[in-house]
Amino acid sequence: MLIVTTTEPALLPQPTRAEIRVENVLQALGDPVRLVLVRALAAAPEGIACGEVPLPVTKSTRTHHVRTLREAGVISVHAEGTRRISTLRRDDLDSLYPGLLDGVLAAER
Amino acid sequence: MLIVTTTEPALLPQPTRAEIRVENVLQALGDPVRLVLVRALAAAPEGIACGEVPLPVTKSTRTHHVRTLREAGVISVHAEGTRRISTLRRDDLDSLYPGLLDGVLAAER
């Protein structure tokens, strides 16, 4: 007998929409490296492996930035085997803070 | 002869609109005490003396927060004698980052 187990991608811990706080979101967004990640995620609704985004930082710094965004409620991260796929929590952010994310993404500088 | 000198309120140093950077604005906004100040300023287009906004911090901490907002380009501060009158740079922020400030001000949490 062949047993096939399918596992859903595991969602890493994150605040619920009700737990998100605007000061945490602003702090998380207020970093040039994290803004690069957020812009890349905004352009890829299906999600991306943040490790694939070119960044001038070490792997451990990158990991720190991704965690900061996840814990603030800006992104969701799913573990798919050894891969970590991140997506922007656009619905949550647009619902809580209409215009904030669009304003940030529109910024030329 | 009576000499009357009128002095314009002196504008404290601040970045020009072109010098404002989104990461600095987000960092400046990403603090609960500074958000209290920004909300108070948003409700008072004519400007307020930040010292009059009730805050659970010392005078020097308050001064630090006001300076952080000014240097990021979020507020203008005019010296009128010994008073410091602050105003929100709403036109500059709305022009650079449409929606950002409204999204932050709309936040219930």
Side-chain angles (χ1 to χ4, degrees):
Chain A
M1 186 172 78
L2 182 67
I3 298 176
V4 178
T5 58
T6 58
T7 53
E8 289 290 311
L11 182 67
L12 272 60
Q14 66 179 36
T16 65
R17 182 184 292 191
E19 289 169 339
I20 295 175
R21 293 293 172 272
V22 68
E23 58 264 32
N24 296 343
V25 169
L26 293 165
Q27 279 173 25
L29 293 174
D31 176 275
V33 171
R34 292 197 289 269
L35 278 179
V36 171
L37 286 173
V38 167
R39 288 180 200 284
L41 289 164
E46 73 285 5
I48 52 177
C50 284
E52 294 166 7
V53 180
L55 291 175
V57 298
T58 63
K59 185 163 180 289
S60 69
T61 299
R62 176 190 300 264
T63 301
H64 161 76
H65 285 312
V66 172
R67 186 190 317 122
T68 298
L69 290 169
R70 173 172 58 79
E71 292 180 348
V74 176
I75 68 173
S76 292
V77 182
H78 288 86
E80 300 186 6
T82 58
R83 281 164 60 88
R84 298 282 179 276
I85 303 300
S86 297
T87 51
L88 198 55
R89 295 179 65 176
R90 189 183 266 279
D91 286 351
D92 289 326
L93 297 175
D94 286 349
S95 170
L96 291 168
Y97 319 117
L100 192 162
L101 198 59
D102 285 335
V104 171
L105 293 172
E108 294 177 20
R109 55 175 188 272
Chain B
M1 185 174 77
L2 181 68
I3 298 177
V4 177
T5 56
T6 58
T7 53
E8 289 290 312
L11 182 66
L12 271 61
Q14 65 177 36
T16 64
R17 182 184 291 192
E19 289 169 339
I20 295 176
R21 292 293 173 273
V22 69
E23 59 265 30
N24 296 343
V25 170
L26 292 165
Q27 278 172 26
L29 293 174
D31 177 275
V33 171
R34 292 196 290 270
L35 278 179
V36 170
L37 286 173
V38 168
R39 288 179 200 285
L41 289 164
E46 73 283 7
I48 52 178
C50 284
E52 294 166 8
V53 179
L55 290 176
V57 299
T58 63
K59 185 162 181 290
S60 70
T61 300
R62 178 192 299 265
T63 301
H64 161 76
H65 285 312
V66 173
R67 187 192 315 122
T68 299
L69 289 169
R70 173 172 57 82
E71 291 180 348
V74 176
I75 68 174
S76 291
V77 182
H78 287 86
E80 298 186 7
T82 59
R83 283 164 60 88
R84 298 281 179 276
I85 303 299
S86 297
T87 51
L88 197 55
R89 295 179 66 176
R90 188 183 267 280
D91 285 352
D92 289 326
L93 297 175
D94 286 349
S95 169
L96 290 167
Y97 319 117
L100 193 162
L101 198 59
D102 286 334
V104 170
L105 293 172
E108 295 177 19
R109 52 173 190 273

